[in-house]
Amino acid sequence: MTNDATTHEKTSKHDTHDLSDPIVTRLAELDETPWYKKPNLRLLYLLMFPTCIGVEMTSGFDSSMINGLQAVDSWDTFFHSPRSTLLGLISAMYSLGAIIVLPIVPVITDRLGRRHAISFGSLLMVIGAALQTGSQNSGYYWIPIQLLLLYRYSKHFAALVINLTKFPFAGAIVAAGVTLGTFNMNNNWGWRIPSLLQVVPSALQLTFIYFMPESPRWLISKGRGEEARAILVKYHAEGDEASEFVKAEFVQIEKTLELEKETEKVGWLQLVATAGMRRRMLVGAFLGLATQWSGNGLTSYFLARILDNVGVHDNRTKNVINLGITCWGFFNATIFALISSRFKRRIMYLGVKRPLALSSPFLVEIFPFKVRAKGISVFQWFSRAAGFFNQFVNPIGIANAGWKYYISYCIFLLFEVLFVYFLFPETHGRTLEELAFLYEDDKVIEQKKRVEEDIHNEENRNEKDAHIDERSEKRV
């Protein structure tokens, strides 16, 4: 950060009631040192890489694996050539596990902390993959698929950054490549090897998660402010205890949590208690549907059956096309990740139309901390419910209606554009605390007032302490 006097002078020139220009954002903008020149922040980002890609790779690996296995003869033979309803049921079971477990996810994450929740979910993932690898019939194969989904809903409490959203495609590429390599094997290891490799992303998480710091917001909410302050000082100020930015950031988190607590109500009804919360719920629920009903589920799970419809029946060709599609997706996701920070959220949703890539950071931004776990669980419930319906119905629709079935997705995509244009808020460029009262202008003013009063009082105390020290030195 620049020196404190300059920082205070610059920030005091702004209108303290300008809701679009909060103090922490202004202080952050004054810091011109790039992240890679900050050793502690650089280390944090390096630790985030293997931890967070474990989450994202899993989501891509699972869908691509189920897709690819449909073109593996040993899998098709072992499970008696599932088609139409049975194939839909196998794919839909993937979402059922999430629907069952979602109500308890906020309880686990809020009580145990973000790191424990992620490690617990990763352990379940390893167990599920082991059971699936050792399946002896279709029933044993379906049940572990549900267990695998128990893992995925701690992911939204890790550090969420758009740049990591390209890694589902990395997982998908690995799965597509593995099934391409094993599809010709004459024994059951042709499908058991891809199933076993599902443990790799979770093993990455289990290895690195406890090298990551706990969420400072969660620590402050549990009365462990000194631990939270130490984390902020280490990673946001490179060890500078006197950093004005860390002081403002800590006060902002603390005061925001206080304001949220003042209006906090117990239970899930808090999500519909006010007009602002109902709007958040509507956006969250819509995003859950959009992530599944944008047509992505067709090629992610049923590419082999779609290719059958257009006359492609060779399993090697199917697996090569699956690999090619995932590589193309990875390329586009990389470009998207590199440019996404330059544009506002609404523009990206309307122009690029990638709900999966933007949904994680956007949901964290629109839901205040106290209801964030519940809000994201609602999103996941709608997403998994839509996915369950979709994956069950898709193979039936493909078998009976052919290409005409795809028209339903075109209609929903048009609805998505209209919904985003009229109902999505803009969240780009502000901190989570500044977005805590996105729809509550009166609370925003109160929040800013408390934060700036607290910072001003801290500055006065520091000035008094400095005067006392000067007098003491003169007397000596």
Side-chain angles (χ1 to χ4, degrees), residues 97-274:
I99 296 172
I100 294 171
V101 78
L102 276 171
I104 68 170
V105 170
V107 178
I108 295 173
T109 54
D110 287 341
R111 290 188 181 180
L112 299 183
R114 288 14 181 175
R115 294 189 304 174
H116 289 324
I118 290 171
S119 61
F120 176 67
S122 298
L123 184 60
L124 287 178
M125 176 68 184
V126 171
I127 295 170
L131 289 173
Q132 193 176 53
T133 303
S135 298
Q136 297 303 309
N137 55 52
S138 58
Y140 280 99
Y141 192 78
W142 299 346
I143 294 171
I145 289 177
Q146 294 184 55
L147 187 58
L148 295 179
L149 259 291
L150 303 186
Y151 150 81
R152 292 185 59 192
Y153 297 99
S154 55
K155 77 177 185 179
H156 292 285
F157 305 105
L160 292 167
V161 288
I162 296 177
N163 283 336
L164 291 167
T165 59
K166 57 181 174 289
F167 285 99
F169 292 101
I173 290 170
V174 173
V178 170
T179 53
L180 176 61
T182 64
F183 86 97
N184 223 12
M185 294 177 69
N186 294 322
N187 55 53
N188 288 328
W189 284 106
W191 61 267
R192 293 190 192 276
I193 289 174
S195 298
L196 181 61
L197 289 177
Q198 290 176 103
V199 305
V200 173
S202 294
L204 281 173
Q205 282 191 278
L206 287 170
T207 302
F208 289 98
I209 188 61
Y210 286 105
F211 290 100
M212 296 277 291
E214 183 55 85
S215 161
R217 292 171 182 82
W218 183 81
L219 290 172
I220 292 173
S221 74
K222 299 299 179 182
R224 295 160 61 180
E226 289 306 311
E227 294 176 56
R229 189 189 300 274
I231 291 171
L232 295 175
V233 167
K234 179 177 180 180
Y235 293 108
H236 291 185
E238 294 299 310
D240 180 8
E241 296 278 353
S243 167
E244 289 296 315
F245 177 76
V246 167
K247 289 178 184 177
E249 186 178 28
F250 184 88
V251 169
Q252 188 184 58
I253 295 172
E254 196 174 44
K255 296 305 176 185
T256 301
L257 290 175
E258 282 180 13
L259 270 172
E260 289 177 6
K261 193 171 183 179
E262 287 175 8
T263 58
E264 182 179 9
K265 297 178 182 178
V266 179
W268 288 83
L269 289 178
Q270 184 183 356
L271 289 172
V272 292
T274 65

Side-chain angles (χ1 to χ4, degrees), residues 144-429:
I145 289 177
Q146 294 184 55
L147 187 58
L148 295 179
L149 259 291
L150 303 186
Y151 150 81
R152 292 185 59 192
Y153 297 99
S154 55
K155 77 177 185 179
H156 292 285
F157 305 105
L160 292 167
V161 288
I162 296 177
N163 283 336
L164 291 167
T165 59
K166 57 181 174 289
F167 285 99
F169 292 101
I173 290 170
V174 173
V178 170
T179 53
L180 176 61
T182 64
F183 86 97
N184 223 12
M185 294 177 69
N186 294 322
N187 55 53
N188 288 328
W189 284 106
W191 61 267
R192 293 190 192 276
I193 289 174
S195 298
L196 181 61
L197 289 177
Q198 290 176 103
V199 305
V200 173
S202 294
L204 281 173
Q205 282 191 278
L206 287 170
T207 302
F208 289 98
I209 188 61
Y210 286 105
F211 290 100
M212 296 277 291
E214 183 55 85
S215 161
R217 292 171 182 82
W218 183 81
L219 290 172
I220 292 173
S221 74
K222 299 299 179 182
R224 295 160 61 180
E226 289 306 311
E227 294 176 56
R229 189 189 300 274
I231 291 171
L232 295 175
V233 167
K234 179 177 180 180
Y235 293 108
H236 291 185
E238 294 299 310
D240 180 8
E241 296 278 353
S243 167
E244 289 296 315
F245 177 76
V246 167
K247 289 178 184 177
E249 186 178 28
F250 184 88
V251 169
Q252 188 184 58
I253 295 172
E254 196 174 44
K255 296 305 176 185
T256 301
L257 290 175
E258 282 180 13
L259 270 172
E260 289 177 6
K261 193 171 183 179
E262 287 175 8
T263 58
E264 182 179 9
K265 297 178 182 178
V266 179
W268 288 83
L269 289 178
Q270 184 183 356
L271 289 172
V272 292
T274 65
M277 289 308 303
R278 288 190 290 273
R279 287 190 65 179
R280 292 181 176 94
M281 274 279 289
L282 182 62
V283 171
F286 166 81
L287 272 176
L289 298 177
T291 57
Q292 299 298 323
W293 286 355
S294 298
N296 47 302
L298 288 168
T299 55
S300 295
Y301 289 90
F302 305 108
L303 180 62
R305 304 288 75 86
I306 291 172
L307 292 174
D308 281 336
N309 279 353
V310 295
V312 178
H313 303 292
D314 178 66
N315 281 346
R316 177 177 175 78
T317 303
K318 289 178 181 178
N319 275 291
V320 169
I321 292 173
N322 185 32
L323 180 58
I325 288 175
T326 53
C327 289
W328 177 244
F330 180 76
F331 172 78
N332 283 288
T334 302
I335 299 300
F336 169 80
L338 293 174
I339 67 170
S340 60
S341 61
R342 302 172 183 269
F343 299 96
K344 293 183 177 182
R345 297 282 188 260
R346 283 169 50 85
I347 292 175
M348 294 303 291
Y349 268 115
L350 290 169
V352 183
K353 199 62 204 71
R354 288 186 54 81
L356 281 171
L358 283 170
S359 60
S360 294
F362 190 66
L363 287 162
V364 171
E365 289 165 350
I366 66 172
F367 282 104
F369 176 81
K370 286 292 184 181
V371 295
R372 192 167 293 148
K374 290 183 175 66
I376 293 175
S377 291
V378 168
F379 157 79
Q380 294 290 5
W381 190 91
F382 274 90
S383 176
R384 291 304 110 197
F388 180 82
F389 174 82
N390 248 23
Q391 306 321 327
F392 181 74
V393 170
N394 277 344
I396 300 173
I398 292 170
N400 293 304
W403 65 268
K404 295 177 184 177
Y405 177 67
Y406 311 144
I407 296 174
S408 61
Y409 286 100
C410 297
I411 295 171
F412 190 79
L413 284 169
L414 176 61
F415 170 71
E416 287 181 16
V417 171
L418 296 174
F419 191 100
V420 170
Y421 182 81
F422 287 107
L423 293 174
F424 268 38
E426 184 53 67
T427 61
H428 178 75

